[in-house]
Amino acid sequence: SQTIHQWPATLVQPVGSPLSLECTVEGTSNPNLYWYRQAAGRGLQLLFYSVGIGQISSEVPQNLSASRPQDRQFILSSKKLLLSDSGFYLCAWSKRGHGYTFGSGTRLTVV
Amino acid sequence: GENVEQHPSTLSVQEGDSAVIKCTYSDSASNYFPWYKQELGKRPQLIIDIRSNVGEKKDQRIAVTLNKTAKHFSLHITETQPEDSAVYFCAASIGTNAGKSTFGDGTTLTVKP
């Protein structure tokens, strides 16, 4: 069966520090991968998606970036965090034309 | 791009009553409409979905209807139970290679015992 792992679960980082969140999927090949952010009490905002290794599409301009160095690995990064980067970050995977399976999420607080 | 609006933002019902959540979408090319349930502090989980070639789909106490002409779809929960309390999100996507979904802002459902 397919599983998705996301870490860390929680993170407190100072303003201006770097960020690296990692997501890996097991039990499937060539998945579509996504990074979403959920602000408190709000919906899910698509940040990045990838349909293959090295293929990254950005949905919103920001100081975040994403990379897909391996088929089942998706990384969200930032060189310098802003207060507005705080939120609940969710990685997800899907097969074409199907719903998402989300990771357990990372709660990021920028202080 | 696609825009999904979801109503109501909060919904409170008595245990055993029905709950209905409605969503509208803007892009007529959207053809896949999933619904997710997110319990407090947890990840969203897919509970039901519907494709544009189907008007209604049912899974036990949960059903989803789709009106392509009007570009709206709804989630129906019958015989609600306290464990149905959660935030529910609708989404819409075009079934292309990317499969990216646009989400509604969510409905907080509270089922009172």
Side-chain angles (χ1 to χ4, degrees):
Chain A
S1 63
Q2 302 89 4
T3 57
I4 178 169
H5 303 279
Q6 183 181 344
W7 67 93
T10 60
L11 196 57
V12 180
Q13 292 284 98
V15 170
S17 64
L19 173 74
S20 181
L21 303 180
E22 191 163 342
C23 174
T24 59
V25 180
E26 296 178 357
T28 187
S29 60
N30 196 30
N32 290 344
L33 296 172
Y34 312 88
W35 279 110
Y36 279 83
R37 177 170 59 202
Q38 185 175 32
R42 301 292 301 275
L44 295 112
Q45 179 189 34
L46 179 62
L47 302 176
F48 300 95
Y49 67 93
S50 171
V51 299
I53 296 174
Q55 301 178 58
I56 308 295
S57 295
S58 174
E59 286 293 295
V60 292
Q62 59 209 325
N63 68 322
L64 299 171
S65 62
S67 61
R68 185 170 178 174
Q70 301 179 41
D71 180 46
R72 290 169 287 176
Q73 183 184 28
F74 205 24
I75 298 171
L76 182 69
S77 303
S78 174
K79 292 182 179 178
K80 290 185 177 182
L81 284 169
L82 306 173
L83 287 173
S84 58
D85 291 325
S86 294
F88 190 45
Y89 288 81
L90 289 156
C91 178
W93 78 272
S94 78
K95 279 295 192 182
R96 177 179 175 178
H98 290 81
Y100 292 175
T101 299
F102 285 92
S104 53
T106 296
R107 193 162 302 281
L108 172 66
T109 305
V110 182
V111 297
Chain B
E2 174 68 281
N3 182 50
V4 177
E5 294 189 357
Q6 183 172 347
H7 301 279
S9 57
T10 60
L11 180 60
S12 181
V13 300
Q14 287 295 135
E15 183 177 0
D17 288 351
S18 295
V20 181
I21 302 169
K22 299 181 179 181
C23 290
T24 60
Y25 61 99
S26 60
D27 192 339
S28 57
S30 290
N31 56 11
Y32 176 67
F33 307 92
W35 287 86
Y36 297 85
K37 175 184 179 181
Q38 186 178 28
E39 297 178 356
L40 190 63
K42 297 190 176 181
R43 74 188 85 183
Q45 292 194 302
L46 179 69
I47 56 172
I48 195 168
D49 56 13
I50 192 167
R51 300 185 188 278
S52 60
N53 59 346
V54 176
E56 183 174 0
K57 184 177 179 180
K58 189 174 182 180
D59 183 5
Q60 298 182 348
R61 295 186 296 109
I62 294 174
V64 58
T65 59
L66 171 66
N67 184 326
K68 280 199 67 180
T69 302
K71 289 191 278 189
H72 66 70
F73 56 113
S74 301
L75 177 71
H76 305 252
I77 306 174
T78 58
E79 300 173 23
T80 54
Q81 301 167 3
E83 51 265 39
D84 294 329
S85 296
V87 179
Y88 291 82
F89 293 96
C90 64
S93 69
I94 302 170
T96 60
N97 188 46
K100 52 178 181 168
S101 286
T102 300
F103 285 80
D105 283 342
T107 296
T108 301
L109 173 64
T110 302
V111 180
K112 300 177 184 176

